[in-house]
Amino acid sequence: MNEFELIARYFARPVRERQGIGDDCALIDVGDTTLAITTDSLTEHIHFFPGVDPASLGHKALAVNLSDLAAAGARPRCFLLSLSLPRADPAWLDAFSRALFDLAGREGCELIGGDTTRAPSIAGQDGPVTICVTAIGEVERCSVRGRGGARAGDDLWVSGQLGDAALAVAHALGQVRLDQESARACRRRLDWPQPRVRLGLALRGLATAAIDVSDGLVGDLGHVLQRSGVGAGVNVPDVPRSDTLRAVESELQRRCVLAGGDDYELLFTASPDDGEAIAAAGRDCCIAITRIGTVTLERGLRLVGDRGIDATLRGFDHFAGAPGA
Ligand code: ADP
Ligand code: MG
């Protein structure tokens, strides 16, 4: 059973709200307002290396949630923070909270609650740090969008560049050797992702479907295609990547760019008639936006200019290969 089968089998139920499980955000109507709500956690050893800069953790814990709000075209409003820590370390907490509030201030959202517990130590070893943020944003009801609106004939777009965060992980694991400057740049992409909130707002009324790329392009595009009931062709050489990533050997490059994860860029679909407006939105937000393919009536994902999808190219799945999978 993989992560998504687990969610579908045990937790997905029909809901009376506007949108329940299966999208980047749940949507609930409250009076004239529609609220977008999302939650994501970071667990030591799974999502980050032990001893990582606490400032980057404070930033990233909120950033990954704001990225889900961006996909939904929501304006961030407030968030909750739940922490499980092996000890109360003032230096750690100071750096963590400063970076958290820096991003919150920039994006105009306030911390309104949470929970704090001590992580148990097991056999003399510290339990893992776990950070869970729940973010709440507001969406305009007339421009609600999710993963399910892609139509055959739409263009497929992605913001920024993909793959550098995964390259940073490969470097940290000794799978590739990068020079110091390149390693530092990739590590920044991994530790300090920039949620594309402004772009998400600028794409209201333009993007027919959107998702944030958190688990790798192939896996996350798969969610859009499945929910929209369509397929797509992606021109792999067009998928934007850094010069550092272009310089690494082709198999690792392919894995990072197509299945890397931790990119937090927006992947979205739009009518070809809106190409100019989309380019303008990118310019307004000072972010490169690249057309990487087309949505097709024929189901499935075709990777053009590449040798196709194999088992190594699935999106990140917490339970793939685990006992009981
Ligand atoms: P994202 O990568 O955008 O955070 P996920 O891929 O983690 O989204 O989750 C897919 C969908 O499943 C989302 O709608 C999420 O809210 C939902 N989901 C994940 N875990 C659970 C759970 N334990 N109970 C209910 N819904 C869940
Ligand atoms: Mg998401």
Side-chain angles (χ1 to χ4, degrees), residues 265-301:
E265 294 295 348
L266 292 186
L267 174 71
F268 59 95
T269 56
S271 160
D273 297 339
D274 288 326
E276 248 320 299
I278 283 164
R283 283 194 299 274
D284 285 352
C285 300
C286 302
I287 177 146
I289 299 184
T290 310
R291 189 180 161 264
I292 60 168
T294 309
V295 178
T296 58
L297 205 53
E298 191 191 339
R299 300 278 188 109
L301 174 58

Side-chain angles (χ1 to χ4, degrees), residues 20 32 39 59 91 137 145 148 163 178 199 242 252 278 292 317:
D32 291 339
T39 190
H59 171 91
R145 67 161 183 257
L178 302 175
L199 179 63
S242 68
L252 179 64
I278 283 164
I292 60 168
D317 174 347

Side-chain angles (χ1 to χ4, degrees), residues 107-236:
E107 298 294 352
C109 58
E110 295 179 324
L111 178 60
I112 56 162
D115 191 32
T116 304
T117 57
R118 183 168 177 171
S121 53
I122 298 161
Q125 298 267 4
D126 280 350
V129 172
T130 307
I131 307 152
C132 180
V133 168
T134 300
I136 300 166
E138 284 180 49
V139 197
E140 279 167 20
R141 202 162 290 167
C142 59
S143 55
V144 159
R145 67 161 183 257
R147 298 174 176 179
R151 297 166 303 205
D154 279 354
D155 286 333
L156 186 60
W157 300 84
V158 71
S159 67
Q161 296 177 327
L162 301 186
D164 273 1
L167 188 58
V169 174
H171 177 77
L173 297 175
Q175 296 165 357
V176 63
R177 272 216 61 77
L178 302 175
D179 65 72
Q180 215 178 22
E181 195 186 324
S182 305
R184 201 174 299 133
C186 290
R187 188 65 194 228
R188 241 194 117 66
R189 288 298 312 262
L190 177 68
D191 289 344
W192 296 86
Q194 299 303 315
R196 304 303 185 190
V197 174
R198 247 184 92 198
L199 179 63
L201 291 168
L203 293 173
R204 284 176 300 184
L206 290 174
T208 51
I211 189 169
D212 66 316
V213 186
S214 55
D215 294 338
L217 176 68
V218 165
D220 287 327
L221 176 55
H223 294 312
V224 171
L225 301 183
Q226 193 183 17
R227 244 170 119 75
S228 300
V230 292
V234 170
N235 196 27
V236 176

